[in-house]
Amino acid sequence: MGSFLYLVVVIFIIFSSSVNACDRCLHRSKASYFSSASALSSGACAYGSMATRFFAGHIAAATPSIYKDGAGCGACFQVRCKNPKLCSSKGTIVMVTDLNKSNQTDLVLSSRAFRAMAKPVAGADRDLLKQGIVDIDYQRVPCEYGNKNMNVRVEEASKKPNYLEVKLLYQGGQTEVVAIDIAQVGSSRWGYMSRSHGAVWATDKVPTGALQFRFIVTGGYDGKMIWAQSALPANWEAGKTYDAGVQITDIAQEGCDPCDAHIWK
């Protein structure tokens, strides 16, 4: 009965994500910026000081419909401003690291990302910053990390043997992790982790030994399971980061209609 209920919950989560998947369409809104990227380091996704190292500091706080109670943490968006005198047609790519609670803009960019939307001519980035708030187009795009696997960071709050908190880093592709199963390597007795906050997942029922994970990922109408067969060693330690041995490369299928699937160049 427990397994059946868990399956129902996972299906519901996938369906809910599908219904709210329209961030992958082309949107028109406004964007502002933080004067320092470090302002996003204490963001709701819980990336901490690591946030400023993602995408060379091209990071952003996003509106609740994009943040999705933490499921949107780590999502990537191509953003371009609309002022033809100051803005390039390509814009820049940002990664979501925080929640934007303002109703004035969909995105609040780091100043580095905001300047990167400018034309590559002297002074354009400075003049763009003076605008403060600008009209933008934005669209979700896949996160690309080259040949790097997804990482699992064991958070400092973890306490052996009964409590484990992990944070997913370098999550590629264009889908969202909506559930995580955990088991001892070689075992078929799976438990589940719950989203604690932002990109952090937790369980107070930690299997002994080396640990494997199953990541339930979804995007648009599609959901799938990605199996990390040996993600944490038996001697895992709080504060350390481990290679998950897998990467998510799936491209989301849009869950809303109509949707402009065009990604500008």
Side-chain angles (χ1 to χ4, degrees), residues 199-252:
V200 179
W201 296 76
T203 179
D204 59 2
K205 296 179 176 61
V206 186
T208 58
L211 301 177
Q212 58 179 328
F213 293 94
R214 294 188 305 202
F215 304 107
I216 314 300
V217 300
T218 186
Y221 293 118
D222 294 339
K224 68 181 295 184
M225 184 178 293
I226 295 178
W227 184 17
Q229 298 185 44
S230 183
L232 294 185
N235 61 343
W236 56 264
E237 296 180 29
K240 288 196 173 183
T241 300
Y242 300 90
D243 189 327
V246 295
Q247 181 56 280
I248 299 172
T249 58
D250 298 80
I251 306 300

Side-chain angles (χ1 to χ4, degrees), residues 109-119 124-126 128-129:
L109 310 185
S110 62
S111 58
R112 178 174 293 184
F114 200 88
R115 294 198 318 269
M117 295 190 295
K119 284 184 173 180
D125 60 337
R126 181 185 64 247
L128 186 59
L129 282 177

Side-chain angles (χ1 to χ4, degrees), residues 13-74:
I13 291 171
I14 291 174
F15 175 76
S16 299
S17 179
S18 300
V19 171
N20 296 306
C22 296
D23 54 288
R24 298 175 184 90
C25 297
L26 181 65
H27 288 273
R28 292 176 174 85
S29 183
K30 295 180 181 293
S32 57
Y33 69 92
F34 287 106
S35 59
S36 172
S38 61
L40 292 164
S41 295
S42 58
C45 289
Y47 291 124
S49 60
M50 289 192 66
T52 57
R53 302 201 295 271
F54 292 122
F55 289 90
H58 290 205
I59 53 181
T63 192
S65 62
I66 297 173
Y67 178 76
K68 300 178 183 177
D69 294 325
C73 289

Side-chain angles (χ1 to χ4, degrees), residues 40-260:
L40 292 164
S41 295
S42 58
C45 289
Y47 291 124
S49 60
M50 289 192 66
T52 57
R53 302 201 295 271
F54 292 122
F55 289 90
H58 290 205
I59 53 181
T63 192
S65 62
I66 297 173
Y67 178 76
K68 300 178 183 177
D69 294 325
C73 289
C76 295
F77 289 83
Q78 190 169 7
V79 187
R80 65 178 175 187
C81 53
K82 302 286 290 189
N83 186 327
K85 293 182 179 180
L86 298 176
C87 304
S88 73
S89 60
K90 184 178 180 180
T92 190
I93 293 177
V94 299
M95 178 183 137
V96 174
T97 61
D98 198 3
L99 171 63
N100 170 31
K101 298 180 180 179
S102 168
N103 59 7
Q104 290 185 298
T105 68
D106 279 9
L107 297 168
V108 181
L109 310 185
S110 62
S111 58
R112 178 174 293 184
F114 200 88
R115 294 198 318 269
M117 295 190 295
K119 284 184 173 180
V121 296
D125 60 337
R126 181 185 64 247
D127 292 338
L128 186 59
L129 282 177
K130 292 178 180 178
Q131 302 298 307
I133 297 178
V134 295
D135 294 321
I136 60 166
D137 288 336
Y138 71 90
Q139 185 176 43
R140 187 166 179 183
V141 295
C143 294
E144 297 180 353
Y145 293 103
N147 295 322
K148 190 178 186 66
N149 286 330
M150 186 164 59
N151 283 189
V152 177
R153 186 182 191 277
V154 179
E155 298 293 90
E156 282 78 4
S158 300
K159 302 290 183 183
K160 279 189 172 182
N162 297 320
Y163 186 71
L164 175 64
E165 275 191 6
V166 299
K167 180 164 58 191
L168 303 183
L169 303 174
Y170 308 110
Q171 179 183 325
Q174 193 185 352
T175 54
E176 295 157 4
V177 173
V178 296
I180 299 179
D181 295 333
I182 185 172
Q184 184 182 62
V185 171
S187 172
S188 59
R189 297 182 62 183
W190 291 91
Y192 66 91
M193 304 189 77
S194 301
R195 188 183 297 279
S196 172
H197 57 283
V200 179
W201 296 76
T203 179
D204 59 2
K205 296 179 176 61
V206 186
T208 58
L211 301 177
Q212 58 179 328
F213 293 94
R214 294 188 305 202
F215 304 107
I216 314 300
V217 300
T218 186
Y221 293 118
D222 294 339
K224 68 181 295 184
M225 184 178 293
I226 295 178
W227 184 17
Q229 298 185 44
S230 183
L232 294 185
N235 61 343
W236 56 264
E237 296 180 29
K240 288 196 173 183
T241 300
Y242 300 90
D243 189 327
V246 295
Q247 181 56 280
I248 299 172
T249 58
D250 298 80
I251 306 300
Q253 299 299 310
E254 188 52 67
C256 56
D257 184 53
C259 179
D260 182 356

